[in-house]
Amino acid sequence: MSDGFPGYTPVHGDTVQLTADTLVVTITGKITSRGVLRDGAGFAELVLPDGDPQQRRDLERATWLHYRLYGGGALLYSSGHLQVRDVRRDADGALVVAGSP
């Protein structure tokens, strides 16, 4: 478990507890946490199933987030307090939320 940058190797889980501004939600499904380097800056990316349009809209309006990723009930990764930098869909239609310290 980490409380810093997630690293460049993706971590796959099945449940995420996500807090963003006033949104507090638990999401299940195929979830990935990974670190990416873009324009010399490190970002934590969380890839979620995009099953609820309202959650997507809430995340697009959010200014900060924190998440805890679980796999089989075990905590795999806990992010720090992140500023939301990007919310988008990837080529497969999954929701991608990127944040940085």
Side-chain angles (χ1 to χ4, degrees), residues 78-97:
S78 178
S79 78
H81 189 86
L82 303 171
Q83 184 174 356
V84 176
R85 301 291 186 177
D86 185 30
V87 178
R88 61 182 164 76
R89 285 198 178 132
D90 70 6
D92 297 324
L95 185 62
V96 179
V97 182

Side-chain angles (χ1 to χ4, degrees), residues 29-64:
K30 183 180 175 185
I31 302 164
T32 303
S33 176
R34 62 184 174 221
V36 296
L37 188 62
R38 202 177 309 141
D39 298 325
F43 296 88
E45 280 192 347
L46 183 61
V47 182
L48 306 164
D50 189 16
D52 184 344
Q54 184 59 48
Q55 285 177 1
R56 181 173 32 91
R57 286 189 291 273
D58 289 342
L59 288 169
E60 288 171 339
R61 288 189 295 263
T63 58
W64 64 270

Side-chain angles (χ1 to χ4, degrees), residues 14-16 26-31 49:
D14 53 31
T15 304
V16 67
T26 298
I27 299 169
T28 59
K30 183 180 175 185
I31 302 164

Side-chain angles (χ1 to χ4, degrees), residues 60-74:
E60 288 171 339
R61 288 189 295 263
T63 58
W64 64 270
L65 70 97
H66 172 266
Y67 64 92
R68 296 171 66 93
L69 178 64
Y70 296 87

